[in-house]
Amino acid sequence: MAARKIASKFDLRPEERAPLSLLVSRQLRQAIVSGKVGTGTELPSEKELTQELGVGRSTVREAVRILQAQGLVSGGDTVSTKRPRVATEAALQSAAAVAIDNAMRLAQVPLGDLVELRVVLEGAAVEMAASRRDGLLSEARAAVDAMSEPGIDIERFRAADLRFHGALAGSAGNAAFPLVMGVLRSAIGSHLGEALDREPDAPKAMAKLAKEHGAILKAVLEGKGKRARELVTAHVREFYRRGTR
Amino acid sequence: MAARKIASKFDLRPEERAPLSLLVSRQLRQAIVSGKVGTGTELPSEKELTQELGVGRSTVREAVRILQAQGLVSGGDTVSTKRPRVATEAALQSAAAVAIDNAMRLAQVPLGDLVELRVVLEGAAVEMAASRRDGLLSEARAAVDAMSEPGIDIERFRAADLRFHGALAGSAGNAAFPLVMGVLRSAIGSHLGEALDREPDAPKAMAKLAKEHGAILKAVLEGKGKRARELVTAHVREFYRRGTR
């Protein structure tokens, strides 16, 4: 779609006495979240937006920075505002994670409280997944298999771990769960650093975690929701206890 | 604290090939979330930051916009970047709510899924509150009393409703709960609009809601966690069912 056509969708009207850059970013936000301008689409260039909207270049630049900070426009930290693209869902999630993380830090929420929140959410998710027994459980299976491979390195293990928990959350049949849990996980992650790196015997720790994951999945597949919740609760608590030693 | 002193805390170093405004915003963020610069504090002015940091004024302006969008600097939508202040926790929460709301909209998460997520969180919170029976329960009591006043208008009822659910969440003994539930509530709110305005008989609806709140609080005070969870689940689901009719 031509840049001119996209810009004409934004419908800029000075509606309030807010700074112009905020009005521009708000209209762009509306066009993006309403789906009028799709994820991954290239926005008009800084120069084109300047001309289309009849505002100064610094206004456009500020507006795009606001959208980047909200995760709506990609290229967050390393790309200039010259060729902005509408963000993917993953980028949006990570912006939400930053915002939650900021709020948690400022409120000085202890790590243990975040972990308990994760236990509540993930416990509910596996119980829901056990009552449905479909969705992404084959992906969870594949992730457990990957984790159990002999000689797997920490990085690949971590990726499989992410896939496993994501697939379980996605199997709850509720689209809000994987999203909020992803946000929470990365907010916790940035508090915690990476626990596995500090394990004195990483292969042993990974083998134990893979086994725990296998047991959680088995309970879900057998439709044993309460059991799955107990296992995931113990697994998550134990993991963070080890990580913060 | 003098502006010059605050600016000297930020420790600006060009560490990566990111745009300068992002480096500036990142350093300011670090100073804020680490508590070096307290909430509500006035930051150095745009002009002072420009001089202190040796960067252009548009760079400072972009950096402050980024921090506003992340909720770290207040004055979000109506204030210029000239006299930025470090945000309060409430402003941070609302930035997190915007980010989550963006992500939910883009992922097209159905309202019902958000409501079920709220049910899971609030159900867990009341169960935890019932096992502790302290914290903010007297505030919850006061909120129920306010709601039950004859002739209360919708606006005051809504404020009391917010206080009630906030106090319950705050009584769970977990600092992450009220924060995430506040974010979720306002993300749902912006999906839903305001249900009470559309009630054909608002006083009757408010009387019913006040009674439900009273019953939830009673169960919590009696230490009946499971009962409190059941009541809050029915209450939240029913409220949104009415609101979306």
Side-chain angles (χ1 to χ4, degrees):
Chain A
M1 192 182 297
R4 180 162 288 271
K5 278 213 183 124
I6 294 178
S8 70
K9 284 188 187 167
F10 293 139
D11 187 23
L12 275 182
R13 277 167 312 201
E15 48 188 23
E16 283 152 67
R17 287 178 48 211
L20 202 50
S21 58
L22 287 161
L23 292 179
V24 171
S25 76
R26 223 183 270 165
Q27 300 275 3
L28 287 168
R29 171 179 186 257
Q30 196 45 44
I32 294 167
V33 297
S34 70
K36 268 203 261 177
V37 183
T39 58
T41 315
E42 196 168 84
L43 286 176
S45 72
E46 196 176 293
K47 198 175 158 192
E48 285 162 338
L49 282 171
T50 303
Q51 289 167 350
E52 290 288 329
L53 307 175
V55 296
R57 189 170 281 208
S58 68
T59 298
V60 167
R61 224 174 264 164
E62 283 175 44
V64 173
R65 291 291 183 219
I66 291 169
L67 294 169
Q68 282 183 337
Q70 291 176 337
L72 284 170
V73 163
S74 65
D77 277 10
T78 50
V79 172
S80 83
T81 55
K82 295 236 169 79
R83 271 278 165 215
R85 264 176 197 285
V86 177
T88 58
E89 284 176 30
L92 261 177
Q93 266 198 50
S94 89
V98 168
I100 293 256
D101 186 43
N102 284 342
M104 300 280 186
R105 278 169 197 267
L106 206 64
Q108 299 186 301
V109 174
L111 176 63
D113 287 4
L114 291 178
V115 171
E116 284 309 306
L117 180 60
R118 189 180 158 196
V119 163
V120 164
L121 285 171
E122 192 141 354
V126 292
E127 222 174 309
M128 288 158 81
S131 73
R132 300 170 72 245
R133 279 186 271 179
D134 55 9
L136 304 164
L137 292 177
S138 60
E139 198 178 319
R141 173 85 271 158
V144 172
D145 291 345
M147 277 179 238
S148 312
E149 271 171 30
I152 185 170
D153 61 31
I154 289 181
E155 200 175 324
R156 285 185 52 230
F157 187 91
R158 214 173 264 147
D161 181 85
L162 264 176
R163 274 213 312 285
F164 176 77
H165 287 281
L168 274 194
S171 301
N174 181 314
F177 268 82
L179 208 147
V180 171
M181 281 172 49
V183 167
L184 188 63
R185 245 185 96 101
S186 68
I188 294 176
S190 69
H191 270 248
L192 185 71
E194 295 293 357
L196 271 178
D197 290 330
R198 277 177 275 140
E199 282 289 341
D201 187 350
K204 194 178 154 202
M206 291 192 285
K208 184 170 178 290
L209 292 169
K211 221 170 137 187
E212 289 174 12
H213 286 152
I216 294 165
L217 181 59
K218 185 162 173 281
V220 169
L221 289 170
E222 289 171 355
K224 295 175 180 160
K226 289 217 182 307
R227 176 82 185 129
R229 187 196 275 265
E230 284 164 16
L231 289 170
V232 97
T233 298
H235 164 73
V236 170
R237 284 191 184 143
E238 166 70 8
F239 181 74
Y240 288 109
R241 196 157 44 231
R242 293 168 77 90
T244 49
R245 255 197 319 233
Chain B
M1 193 181 297
R4 181 164 288 269
K5 278 213 183 127
I6 294 178
S8 70
K9 285 187 187 169
F10 294 140
D11 188 22
L12 277 180
R13 276 167 311 201
E15 47 189 22
E16 284 151 68
R17 287 179 49 214
L20 201 51
S21 59
L22 288 162
L23 292 179
V24 172
S25 76
R26 224 183 271 165
Q27 300 275 5
L28 287 168
R29 171 179 185 260
Q30 197 44 44
I32 294 168
V33 298
S34 71
K36 267 202 261 178
V37 182
T39 59
T41 315
E42 197 168 83
L43 286 176
S45 71
E46 196 176 292
K47 200 175 155 192
E48 285 163 336
L49 282 171
T50 303
Q51 290 167 348
E52 290 288 331
L53 307 175
V55 296
R57 188 171 282 209
S58 68
T59 298
V60 167
R61 221 174 267 164
E62 283 175 44
V64 173
R65 291 292 184 217
I66 291 168
L67 294 169
Q68 281 184 335
Q70 291 176 339
L72 283 169
V73 163
S74 66
D77 276 8
T78 51
V79 172
S80 83
T81 54
K82 297 236 170 78
R83 270 279 163 213
R85 259 176 201 286
V86 176
T88 58
E89 284 176 30
L92 260 178
Q93 266 199 48
S94 89
V98 167
I100 293 256
D101 186 43
N102 284 342
M104 298 281 185
R105 278 169 197 267
L106 206 65
Q108 299 187 300
V109 174
L111 176 63
D113 287 4
L114 291 177
V115 171
E116 285 308 308
L117 179 60
R118 187 178 158 198
V119 163
V120 164
L121 285 171
E122 191 141 355
V126 293
E127 223 176 305
M128 287 157 81
S131 74
R132 299 170 73 247
R133 280 187 271 180
D134 54 8
L136 305 163
L137 291 177
S138 60
E139 197 178 321
R141 173 85 273 157
V144 172
D145 290 345
M147 277 180 238
S148 311
E149 272 171 28
I152 185 171
D153 62 30
I154 290 181
E155 201 174 323
R156 285 187 50 231
F157 187 91
R158 216 175 261 144
D161 181 84
L162 265 176
R163 273 213 313 284
F164 175 77
H165 288 281
L168 274 195
S171 302
N174 181 314
F177 267 83
L179 208 149
V180 171
M181 280 172 50
V183 166
L184 188 62
R185 246 185 97 102
S186 68
I188 294 176
S190 67
H191 270 249
L192 185 71
E194 294 295 356
L196 271 178
D197 291 329
R198 278 177 273 139
E199 282 288 342
D201 187 350
K204 195 177 152 201
M206 289 191 287
K208 185 171 177 291
L209 290 170
K211 222 171 136 186
E212 289 174 13
H213 286 151
I216 293 165
L217 180 59
K218 184 164 175 280
V220 169
L221 289 170
E222 289 171 354
K224 294 176 180 161
K226 287 216 182 311
R227 175 82 184 129
R229 186 195 276 265
E230 284 164 17
L231 288 171
V232 96
T233 299
H235 164 73
V236 170
R237 284 191 183 140
E238 167 70 8
F239 181 76
Y240 289 109
R241 199 159 42 233
R242 294 167 76 92
T244 50
R245 253 194 324 231

